[in-house]
Amino acid sequence: MHQPASSATMIGRDADLRELDAVYAQVVEGEPRAVVVAGEAGIGKTRLLTEFTTRASMSARILRGQCVDLGEVAPPYAPIAALLRELVDQAGADAVIEAAGPGREAIGVLLPELGGDSAGGASANRLHELVAILLEHFARERPLIVVIEDLHWADDATLTVLKFLLRAVASGPIMIVLTYRSDDVHRGHPLRVFLTEIERGRLAKRLELRRLSRAQVRKQAHSILGRTPDFDLVESVFERSEGVPFFVEELVECEGEVLPETLRDVLLARYERLDEGTRYFLRVLSAGGVRIEHELVEEVFDRGTEELDVAARAALVANVLVVDDSAYAFRHALVREAVHGDLLPGERTRFHARYAEVLAAADEPGNVTEIAYHWHSASNHAKAFPAMLAAMHHAAGSYAFLTAAQMGERALELWDAVDGAEELAGISRSMLTGKVSAYLLAAGEPERALATIDLAIGMSAEPGPELARHLLLKGRCIDNAARPGSIPLLEQALSMLPPGADDPLRARALHRLAARYMLEGHLTLGAEMAGQALELALRLDFRAAASVASNIRGVSRAHSGEVDDGVADLERAKDLADGDRDAMLRFRVNYSDMLNLLGRYADSVAVADEGLDRAREFGVERSSGAVLASNMIDPLFALGEWERASRLLDRVIALSPPLTFRIYLQRAKVWSTLWRGDLEDAERLFKHSGPHLLALAEVEVQSRLEYVRVAGELALARDDVPAAWGHLSHVISEEFHSLPGHSVMIYAQAARALARLRADSATEVDVDDAEKRLRERIRADAFWPTAAPWAAVADAELGGTARTGDGVAEWERALEASDVLPAQVRPYALMRLAAAQHASGMRSDATATLARSIEDAETLGAGLVTSQARAFAERAGLALEGTAARREAGSVELTAREQQVLELITEGLTNRQIGERLFISVKTASVHVSAILRKLGASSRTEAAVIAGRSRQGV
């Protein structure tokens, strides 16, 4: 709300003002910054920002947005549209349209008067990107300060835009200042989630305004009165105001009168001293909202223009009202709330009905939410009902889906109170309930959407298209909530739609079911169902839907063994997309992913990068483009471009994408952090994201395999082999569904875990049987292009005389095969080859190979391999640069018991046999064996025996 400087000097806010000035100084240097100013009602947030922006306006462009108080449902994007209109006023419409660039088609959603696509042609992502582009563009001219006040009234769509801006605006002199009433944000308030996210992400500095002390109240009273206030007045004002500056001012203004006793009396004190005509004008004004245009008030006010002007001037002189170039507002929102609360029932009905009529006559799309609010406040159900439906459709067309759902819910509440509700709505009650569920799902509320669609299903007892639509939507809700069970619902929906009919709904059901079959590993069914969806979509000439169906069939066929045909289907999906952005995005996402799994890493990066170029062209680089950026990350790591991949990964995560997408990114972050050598940080990240990945794993085979891969690698890195096998053994379990592109690399991990279990005689795992089943899996997926090189790694892990990975020839073959595998495999294979060479007595070869491993790992940034290789060199006594040589067995300090155990190890005894020979428990024998291996620097019992034998020969 615009507010002129008070007659009173700003008291007690010097430190807060310095904080804002310090942040602005950083902004001037080109660093975007955000501040959230919190404080209870009347604490002086607006007053502080008025002082700050007045000083900063000498060098900065100031844009303001005000959230609107319309009860529980706010008009979508109100403060965002307000600040953009201010930008248009300052810079000119042509300059704003030109700066919008490719995003100009989305501008009509926020500013219909500028044209563009007011619904449907843009997208929520483009809308968010548009605001960011405009702010960044105009910040290049001079620093930009964006102020949005009263965030506690903000709608969900506005909060989503702000969250995007706080994450996406990464450069330029832009300062975003947000304010909210802390005492209004109760538990369960939607703003709480927003505040938690920006606090957790450290996206904004928090500034909490405190109440005034007794001394500060005295100073404020002195400033207002122009003289030293009486002691009794200060004490009374301090006690009743509790240090809230607005209340201090209102109470001091009552000097010489009986001071008001209650908060309501304080708020209405100035108002009640006015004449009846002015009070009537203020009552009319209070029903209009926070800020009301003069033209609107002029039409609503029913006592003539002359009386309006007289009343407005009297209210302004009395400091109850403030005015800018075109609008009125109460000096403080609390006063407006108090006056509105004081309306008589007849006044409330009359005033709100008049506002609704005038706004409806204006016939402006942006007014629909306000019209619905006013008819509802006027208790006119017959007119509120269609107005709410209109507001629902407008909000949905503006991608403000939560507002759309709220309006739909209000309409449903009025259904029984309105005659002919179904005729007015144009759809059944069940279908309207289904729409509300769909809006809730689009707003990211799958649990509420699920509960709502169950209500709709309960209203649709007869099998048919209506019930089929509800079942399809329920399936989507279940999928979005990461729950199993959507396939039976989709099958039931499909059974209600005649197979011979050219029905778009059947086409949608077919491709939805095909996608679920694919995601849950039923690849043959997925390919078959996608084929039917493709055939029907082509018959209907729905090329975008045909593209999606071809896409799904391609992925299913490739993983089923028809690799070439699957890739051909994916490439056909590009032709069928025919310029449709969503279909083309889906093609590029799936095709780049498939190329990565096929080992065509450079091609994968090229496809995703081309998609990013198109995203930039369309103005959605930081939103939809983030999906494609994420698909570049794995192939970039595979190519060895780890720095580029890491920068991209952090950038995309910072944009806070939807949960499912974010889980994939967090998996990549854990994996890269581990291979860089930071096991502790990787464990911390996995602890945070693991439960989400595991929940998604319940409904997606790909996510299940990714969870197994990451959890298994972490367990191996911390040397917890039983836990690693607990995860990796999934690939030989009965419930395993293979996606070869993902599975073949896990087979090599499983082989490593089995080899280490084989070296532990105390294991209860039947290693030979597990190896047999693992090799069957490897043979079954041998058709996959990267299967042979990964199989070579698995063979090496299980090779050698002891079948524990000590075979030199096997590791040499794995090293040769590693050229077509991800970059970290080569230094790892070199390290394992060095260990095998050392175990075979080839010390000089082992030293040279280990040096190559460390050099390659350090070049790549694979700290995990570097640390493991250096640790092995130290244990094995291999003198590398920066690595201490290990002593031989005869020179290390073994206890008498450890020397006994070492002798038995050289005889080939198991831990159980050692325990029986020495009359100790198996666990104690295992502890001694571990200590001996550590002291000798041996990686296995076999190596320890070799070291002990070499030591005896030396003696």
Side-chain angles (χ1 to χ4, degrees), residues 899-919:
Q899 288 172 348
Q900 289 178 309
V901 172
L902 180 57
E903 288 298 324
L904 298 177
I905 289 174
T906 60
E907 293 180 26
L909 271 61
T910 65
N911 287 355
R912 185 175 300 281
Q913 291 168 329
I914 291 171
E916 292 171 353
R917 183 78 65 86
L918 299 178
F919 303 102

PDB file of all heavy atoms in Angstrom, residues 899-919:
ATOM      1  N   GLN A 899      49.884 -62.947  15.327  1.00  0.00           N
ATOM      2  CA  GLN A 899      50.860 -63.774  14.610  1.00  0.00           C
ATOM      3  C   GLN A 899      50.348 -65.204  14.454  1.00  0.00           C
ATOM      4  O   GLN A 899      50.513 -65.828  13.399  1.00  0.00           O
ATOM      5  CB  GLN A 899      52.195 -63.757  15.361  1.00  0.00           C
ATOM      6  CG  GLN A 899      52.916 -62.414  15.249  1.00  0.00           C
ATOM      7  CD  GLN A 899      54.139 -62.330  16.144  1.00  0.00           C
ATOM      8  OE1 GLN A 899      54.339 -63.195  17.032  1.00  0.00           O
ATOM      9  NE2 GLN A 899      54.967 -61.321  15.929  1.00  0.00           N
ATOM     10  N   GLN A 900      49.670 -65.708  15.526  1.00  0.00           N
ATOM     11  CA  GLN A 900      49.084 -67.056  15.436  1.00  0.00           C
ATOM     12  C   GLN A 900      47.998 -67.102  14.356  1.00  0.00           C
ATOM     13  O   GLN A 900      47.954 -68.040  13.549  1.00  0.00           O
ATOM     14  CB  GLN A 900      48.462 -67.460  16.784  1.00  0.00           C
ATOM     15  CG  GLN A 900      49.469 -67.745  17.887  1.00  0.00           C
ATOM     16  CD  GLN A 900      48.763 -68.084  19.185  1.00  0.00           C
ATOM     17  OE1 GLN A 900      47.881 -67.336  19.615  1.00  0.00           O
ATOM     18  NE2 GLN A 900      49.147 -69.190  19.814  1.00  0.00           N
ATOM     19  N   VAL A 901      47.151 -66.092  14.362  1.00  0.00           N
ATOM     20  CA  VAL A 901      46.057 -66.054  13.390  1.00  0.00           C
ATOM     21  C   VAL A 901      46.607 -65.945  11.969  1.00  0.00           C
ATOM     22  O   VAL A 901      46.114 -66.602  11.042  1.00  0.00           O
ATOM     23  CB  VAL A 901      45.094 -64.880  13.704  1.00  0.00           C
ATOM     24  CG1 VAL A 901      44.065 -64.704  12.589  1.00  0.00           C
ATOM     25  CG2 VAL A 901      44.404 -65.096  15.038  1.00  0.00           C
ATOM     26  N   LEU A 902      47.682 -65.129  11.770  1.00  0.00           N
ATOM     27  CA  LEU A 902      48.274 -64.978  10.443  1.00  0.00           C
ATOM     28  C   LEU A 902      48.807 -66.309   9.929  1.00  0.00           C
ATOM     29  O   LEU A 902      48.641 -66.643   8.736  1.00  0.00           O
ATOM     30  CB  LEU A 902      49.387 -63.928  10.479  1.00  0.00           C
ATOM     31  CG  LEU A 902      50.113 -63.668   9.151  1.00  0.00           C
ATOM     32  CD1 LEU A 902      49.125 -63.264   8.056  1.00  0.00           C
ATOM     33  CD2 LEU A 902      51.192 -62.602   9.313  1.00  0.00           C
ATOM     34  N   GLU A 903      49.408 -67.090  10.807  1.00  0.00           N
ATOM     35  CA  GLU A 903      49.904 -68.397  10.390  1.00  0.00           C
ATOM     36  C   GLU A 903      48.764 -69.282   9.904  1.00  0.00           C
ATOM     37  O   GLU A 903      48.900 -70.005   8.906  1.00  0.00           O
ATOM     38  CB  GLU A 903      50.636 -69.078  11.552  1.00  0.00           C
ATOM     39  CG  GLU A 903      51.990 -68.465  11.907  1.00  0.00           C
ATOM     40  CD  GLU A 903      52.979 -68.570  10.752  1.00  0.00           C
ATOM     41  OE1 GLU A 903      52.940 -69.597  10.036  1.00  0.00           O
ATOM     42  OE2 GLU A 903      53.746 -67.622  10.544  1.00  0.00           O
ATOM     43  N   LEU A 904      47.647 -69.232  10.595  1.00  0.00           N
ATOM     44  CA  LEU A 904      46.500 -70.053  10.201  1.00  0.00           C
ATOM     45  C   LEU A 904      45.864 -69.531   8.903  1.00  0.00           C
ATOM     46  O   LEU A 904      45.322 -70.314   8.125  1.00  0.00           O
ATOM     47  CB  LEU A 904      45.469 -70.086  11.334  1.00  0.00           C
ATOM     48  CG  LEU A 904      45.978 -70.719  12.654  1.00  0.00           C
ATOM     49  CD1 LEU A 904      44.908 -70.643  13.721  1.00  0.00           C
ATOM     50  CD2 LEU A 904      46.392 -72.173  12.418  1.00  0.00           C
ATOM     51  N   ILE A 905      45.918 -68.199   8.696  1.00  0.00           N
ATOM     52  CA  ILE A 905      45.431 -67.636   7.431  1.00  0.00           C
ATOM     53  C   ILE A 905      46.242 -68.189   6.272  1.00  0.00           C
ATOM     54  O   ILE A 905      45.699 -68.568   5.223  1.00  0.00           O
ATOM     55  CB  ILE A 905      45.506 -66.093   7.455  1.00  0.00           C
ATOM     56  CG1 ILE A 905      44.446 -65.499   8.393  1.00  0.00           C
ATOM     57  CG2 ILE A 905      45.311 -65.513   6.048  1.00  0.00           C
ATOM     58  CD1 ILE A 905      44.555 -63.999   8.578  1.00  0.00           C
ATOM     59  N   THR A 906      47.581 -68.270   6.469  1.00  0.00           N
ATOM     60  CA  THR A 906      48.436 -68.771   5.385  1.00  0.00           C
ATOM     61  C   THR A 906      48.163 -70.238   5.095  1.00  0.00           C
ATOM     62  O   THR A 906      48.441 -70.720   3.993  1.00  0.00           O
ATOM     63  CB  THR A 906      49.922 -68.598   5.742  1.00  0.00           C
ATOM     64  OG1 THR A 906      50.226 -69.329   6.944  1.00  0.00           O
ATOM     65  CG2 THR A 906      50.266 -67.131   5.939  1.00  0.00           C
ATOM     66  N   GLU A 907      47.573 -70.951   6.090  1.00  0.00           N
ATOM     67  CA  GLU A 907      47.202 -72.352   5.863  1.00  0.00           C
ATOM     68  C   GLU A 907      45.865 -72.464   5.123  1.00  0.00           C
ATOM     69  O   GLU A 907      45.435 -73.569   4.768  1.00  0.00           O
ATOM     70  CB  GLU A 907      47.102 -73.096   7.200  1.00  0.00           C
ATOM     71  CG  GLU A 907      48.444 -73.267   7.920  1.00  0.00           C
ATOM     72  CD  GLU A 907      48.287 -74.005   9.247  1.00  0.00           C
ATOM     73  OE1 GLU A 907      47.318 -74.780   9.383  1.00  0.00           O
ATOM     74  OE2 GLU A 907      49.125 -73.789  10.141  1.00  0.00           O
ATOM     75  N   GLY A 908      45.181 -71.313   4.947  1.00  0.00           N
ATOM     76  CA  GLY A 908      43.923 -71.324   4.223  1.00  0.00           C
ATOM     77  C   GLY A 908      42.710 -71.567   5.082  1.00  0.00           C
ATOM     78  O   GLY A 908      41.627 -71.881   4.572  1.00  0.00           O
ATOM     79  N   LEU A 909      42.839 -71.415   6.427  1.00  0.00           N
ATOM     80  CA  LEU A 909      41.726 -71.683   7.322  1.00  0.00           C
ATOM     81  C   LEU A 909      40.710 -70.538   7.277  1.00  0.00           C
ATOM     82  O   LEU A 909      41.068 -69.371   7.097  1.00  0.00           O
ATOM     83  CB  LEU A 909      42.215 -71.881   8.762  1.00  0.00           C
ATOM     84  CG  LEU A 909      42.594 -73.328   9.159  1.00  0.00           C
ATOM     85  CD1 LEU A 909      43.721 -73.858   8.297  1.00  0.00           C
ATOM     86  CD2 LEU A 909      42.952 -73.382  10.640  1.00  0.00           C
ATOM     87  N   THR A 910      39.443 -70.896   7.460  1.00  0.00           N
ATOM     88  CA  THR A 910      38.382 -69.895   7.553  1.00  0.00           C
ATOM     89  C   THR A 910      38.349 -69.328   8.967  1.00  0.00           C
ATOM     90  O   THR A 910      39.010 -69.855   9.885  1.00  0.00           O
ATOM     91  CB  THR A 910      37.020 -70.518   7.251  1.00  0.00           C
ATOM     92  OG1 THR A 910      36.709 -71.477   8.279  1.00  0.00           O
ATOM     93  CG2 THR A 910      37.019 -71.212   5.899  1.00  0.00           C
ATOM     94  N   ASN A 911      37.571 -68.278   9.166  1.00  0.00           N
ATOM     95  CA  ASN A 911      37.441 -67.696  10.508  1.00  0.00           C
ATOM     96  C   ASN A 911      36.896 -68.711  11.496  1.00  0.00           C
ATOM     97  O   ASN A 911      37.325 -68.770  12.657  1.00  0.00           O
ATOM     98  CB  ASN A 911      36.514 -66.471  10.463  1.00  0.00           C
ATOM     99  CG  ASN A 911      37.171 -65.283   9.797  1.00  0.00           C
ATOM    100  OD1 ASN A 911      38.350 -65.334   9.456  1.00  0.00           O
ATOM    101  ND2 ASN A 911      36.413 -64.210   9.606  1.00  0.00           N
ATOM    102  N   ARG A 912      35.929 -69.498  11.054  1.00  0.00           N
ATOM    103  CA  ARG A 912      35.360 -70.518  11.949  1.00  0.00           C
ATOM    104  C   ARG A 912      36.425 -71.551  12.337  1.00  0.00           C
ATOM    105  O   ARG A 912      36.555 -71.933  13.500  1.00  0.00           O
ATOM    106  CB  ARG A 912      34.169 -71.193  11.278  1.00  0.00           C
ATOM    107  CG  ARG A 912      33.435 -72.185  12.177  1.00  0.00           C
ATOM    108  CD  ARG A 912      32.193 -72.732  11.492  1.00  0.00           C
ATOM    109  NE  ARG A 912      31.254 -71.669  11.165  1.00  0.00           N
ATOM    110  CZ  ARG A 912      30.426 -71.100  12.059  1.00  0.00           C
ATOM    111  NH1 ARG A 912      30.441 -71.518  13.319  1.00  0.00           N
ATOM    112  NH2 ARG A 912      29.612 -70.139  11.682  1.00  0.00           N
ATOM    113  N   GLN A 913      37.232 -71.988  11.371  1.00  0.00           N
ATOM    114  CA  GLN A 913      38.280 -72.972  11.651  1.00  0.00           C
ATOM    115  C   GLN A 913      39.365 -72.378  12.544  1.00  0.00           C
ATOM    116  O   GLN A 913      39.898 -73.065  13.422  1.00  0.00           O
ATOM    117  CB  GLN A 913      38.885 -73.474  10.335  1.00  0.00           C
ATOM    118  CG  GLN A 913      37.923 -74.320   9.518  1.00  0.00           C
ATOM    119  CD  GLN A 913      38.406 -74.563   8.109  1.00  0.00           C
ATOM    120  OE1 GLN A 913      39.091 -73.722   7.525  1.00  0.00           O
ATOM    121  NE2 GLN A 913      38.051 -75.732   7.551  1.00  0.00           N
ATOM    122  N   ILE A 914      39.677 -71.084  12.319  1.00  0.00           N
ATOM    123  CA  ILE A 914      40.662 -70.422  13.195  1.00  0.00           C
ATOM    124  C   ILE A 914      40.142 -70.379  14.621  1.00  0.00           C
ATOM    125  O   ILE A 914      40.875 -70.647  15.590  1.00  0.00           O
ATOM    126  CB  ILE A 914      40.959 -68.997  12.674  1.00  0.00           C
ATOM    127  CG1 ILE A 914      41.722 -69.065  11.344  1.00  0.00           C
ATOM    128  CG2 ILE A 914      41.744 -68.191  13.713  1.00  0.00           C
ATOM    129  CD1 ILE A 914      41.869 -67.726  10.655  1.00  0.00           C
ATOM    130  N   GLY A 915      38.844 -70.034  14.772  1.00  0.00           N
ATOM    131  CA  GLY A 915      38.257 -69.998  16.118  1.00  0.00           C
ATOM    132  C   GLY A 915      38.319 -71.342  16.794  1.00  0.00           C
ATOM    133  O   GLY A 915      38.623 -71.432  18.005  1.00  0.00           O
ATOM    134  N   GLU A 916      37.991 -72.392  16.038  1.00  0.00           N
ATOM    135  CA  GLU A 916      38.038 -73.732  16.645  1.00  0.00           C
ATOM    136  C   GLU A 916      39.464 -74.116  17.029  1.00  0.00           C
ATOM    137  O   GLU A 916      39.690 -74.728  18.088  1.00  0.00           O
ATOM    138  CB  GLU A 916      37.465 -74.750  15.644  1.00  0.00           C
ATOM    139  CG  GLU A 916      35.967 -74.580  15.405  1.00  0.00           C
ATOM    140  CD  GLU A 916      35.472 -75.447  14.256  1.00  0.00           C
ATOM    141  OE1 GLU A 916      36.326 -76.067  13.566  1.00  0.00           O
ATOM    142  OE2 GLU A 916      34.238 -75.492  14.043  1.00  0.00           O
ATOM    143  N   ARG A 917      40.473 -73.785  16.181  1.00  0.00           N
ATOM    144  CA  ARG A 917      41.854 -74.147  16.465  1.00  0.00           C
ATOM    145  C   ARG A 917      42.378 -73.409  17.693  1.00  0.00           C
ATOM    146  O   ARG A 917      43.109 -73.991  18.505  1.00  0.00           O
ATOM    147  CB  ARG A 917      42.717 -73.814  15.243  1.00  0.00           C
ATOM    148  CG  ARG A 917      44.202 -74.199  15.362  1.00  0.00           C
ATOM    149  CD  ARG A 917      44.404 -75.671  15.131  1.00  0.00           C
ATOM    150  NE  ARG A 917      44.076 -76.058  13.761  1.00  0.00           N
ATOM    151  CZ  ARG A 917      44.950 -75.997  12.734  1.00  0.00           C
ATOM    152  NH1 ARG A 917      46.174 -75.578  12.929  1.00  0.00           N
ATOM    153  NH2 ARG A 917      44.551 -76.397  11.546  1.00  0.00           N
ATOM    154  N   LEU A 918      41.990 -72.116  17.845  1.00  0.00           N
ATOM    155  CA  LEU A 918      42.522 -71.298  18.942  1.00  0.00           C
ATOM    156  C   LEU A 918      41.550 -71.154  20.115  1.00  0.00           C
ATOM    157  O   LEU A 918      41.825 -70.411  21.057  1.00  0.00           O
ATOM    158  CB  LEU A 918      42.885 -69.892  18.415  1.00  0.00           C
ATOM    159  CG  LEU A 918      43.958 -69.840  17.313  1.00  0.00           C
ATOM    160  CD1 LEU A 918      44.181 -68.412  16.870  1.00  0.00           C
ATOM    161  CD2 LEU A 918      45.281 -70.455  17.815  1.00  0.00           C
ATOM    162  N   PHE A 919      40.394 -71.867  20.045  1.00  0.00           N
ATOM    163  CA  PHE A 919      39.390 -71.828  21.113  1.00  0.00           C
ATOM    164  C   PHE A 919      38.888 -70.401  21.380  1.00  0.00           C
ATOM    165  O   PHE A 919      38.798 -69.952  22.519  1.00  0.00           O
ATOM    166  CB  PHE A 919      39.950 -72.445  22.418  1.00  0.00           C
ATOM    167  CG  PHE A 919      40.421 -73.855  22.255  1.00  0.00           C
ATOM    168  CD1 PHE A 919      41.781 -74.140  22.133  1.00  0.00           C
ATOM    169  CD2 PHE A 919      39.517 -74.904  22.183  1.00  0.00           C
ATOM    170  CE1 PHE A 919      42.225 -75.443  21.950  1.00  0.00           C
ATOM    171  CE2 PHE A 919      39.960 -76.208  22.007  1.00  0.00           C
ATOM    172  CZ  PHE A 919      41.310 -76.502  21.884  1.00  0.00           C
TER     173      PHE A 919
END
